[in-house]
Amino acid sequence: MTEVQQWFEQLKQSLREEARREALQEGLKEGLKEGQLRVLARLFEKKLGRPLAEPERSVLAERLDRLGPDRLDDVWTELSADALAAWLVDPAAH
């Protein structure tokens, strides 16, 4: 009976440690994504010469998830300010 209880306690500890590791990984992933979004938003704002409106920031976040940072970097560097503003409001843009 004692061996079963020890095994069970070890199993619980192992599951807790695994859950902590997963939570840490998820937190790091979310932090990286948030950092990328902040940097991209700042670059877009500089190009546009104005702060992003909240809907534009939401579009940028969605496109970061869908298209990835490399594509958004291409968009920021290749488009003019006017084209960039149009890209942010075009629901079909990619």
Side-chain angles (χ1 to χ4, degrees):
M1 188 65 154
T2 302
E3 288 178 23
V4 171
Q5 186 174 8
Q6 287 174 343
W7 173 82
F8 182 70
E9 290 301 319
Q10 288 174 344
L11 178 62
K12 283 189 342 187
Q13 182 65 26
S14 175
L15 291 173
R16 281 187 203 118
E17 289 172 7
E18 184 178 336
R20 276 189 222 125
R21 279 192 299 275
E22 288 176 6
L24 178 59
Q25 289 290 66
E26 187 63 30
L28 290 172
K29 183 179 173 183
E30 287 299 313
L32 177 60
K33 179 181 154 191
E34 183 61 33
Q36 287 175 326
L37 180 58
R38 274 192 234 140
V39 168
L40 285 166
R42 184 72 181 125
L43 293 171
F44 275 51
E45 289 172 341
K46 281 186 170 265
K47 184 94 172 220
L48 293 169
R50 62 171 174 78
L52 291 177
E54 190 54 42
E56 292 172 324
R57 193 173 288 274
S58 294
V59 166
L60 189 59
E62 182 275 325
R63 291 187 183 162
L64 177 59
D65 283 341
R66 186 168 45 92
L67 303 174
D70 291 339
R71 176 64 184 132
L72 294 187
D73 188 50
D74 291 343
V75 167
W76 168 76
T77 57
E78 294 172 5
L79 297 180
S80 68
D82 290 339
L84 186 60
W87 182 86
L88 282 168
V89 297
D90 180 0
H94 54 282

